[in-house]
């Protein structure tokens, strides 16, 4: 997967098309990413009282949901770019921007 945690991305498809944000979580196994402020979903949580410090308040919590990695694109200097790979002379594999050719 070419998108990593901490990357700045833009959503290119779906209900949040055009939104930008930082990747909070990347799940390569399911090919999903969680982007801050994108795909906000509501979860109902039950009030729990499991222990003296484990008291949790119940209610409706709004948080980010995962979206498919194919629906986001990396941002570089405010512009969308594709991601490629290059192998350096010392044998290390680095991500590069297809727009500029620079390392990400």
């Amino acid at each position: 997967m070419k998108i990593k945690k901490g990357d700045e991305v833009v959503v290119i498809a779906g209900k949040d098309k055009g939104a930008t944000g930082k990747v909070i979580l990347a799940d390569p196994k399911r090919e999903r990413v969680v982007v801050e402020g994108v795909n906000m979903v509501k979860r109902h949580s039950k009030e729990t009282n499991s222990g003296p410090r484990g008291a949790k308040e119940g209610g409706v919590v709004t948080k980010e949901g995962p979206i498919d990695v194919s629906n986001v694109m990396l941002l570089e200097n405010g512009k969308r770019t594709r991601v490629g790979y290059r192998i350096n002379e010392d044998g290390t594999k680095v991500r590069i921007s297809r727009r500029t050719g620079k390392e990400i």
Side-chain angles (χ1 to χ4, degrees):
M1 199 164 77
K2 297 179 179 184
I3 304 292
K4 308 279 185 210
K5 179 180 176 179
D7 285 347
E8 192 72 26
V9 295
V10 61
V11 180
I12 59 172
K15 69 175 186 175
D16 292 314
K17 183 176 180 177
T20 62
K22 191 176 272 192
V23 175
I24 301 170
L25 178 109
D27 186 1
K29 192 172 187 178
R30 294 189 302 160
E31 295 204 348
R32 298 255 180 201
V33 290
V34 176
V35 182
E36 64 182 18
V38 174
N39 193 24
M40 300 302 284
V41 293
K42 293 187 179 201
R43 292 283 178 251
H44 296 264
S45 64
K46 191 174 179 180
E47 187 174 341
T48 59
N49 227 358
S50 57
R53 293 184 185 224
K56 184 180 172 195
E57 199 173 306
V60 180
V61 178
T62 305
K63 63 179 189 173
E64 294 93 353
I67 60 174
D68 199 87
V69 72
S70 66
N71 293 336
V72 296
M73 208 168 187
L74 191 71
L75 277 179
E76 182 191 31
N77 299 330
K79 294 185 177 180
R80 302 182 334 176
T81 183
R82 290 180 294 150
V83 180
Y85 290 102
R86 177 174 53 209
I87 307 227
N88 289 337
E89 294 82 26
D90 58 352
T92 57
K93 188 176 179 182
V94 292
R95 293 189 305 160
I96 61 165
S97 164
R98 290 285 190 189
R99 181 182 289 274
T100 61
K102 296 180 187 173
E103 285 188 22
I104 298 173

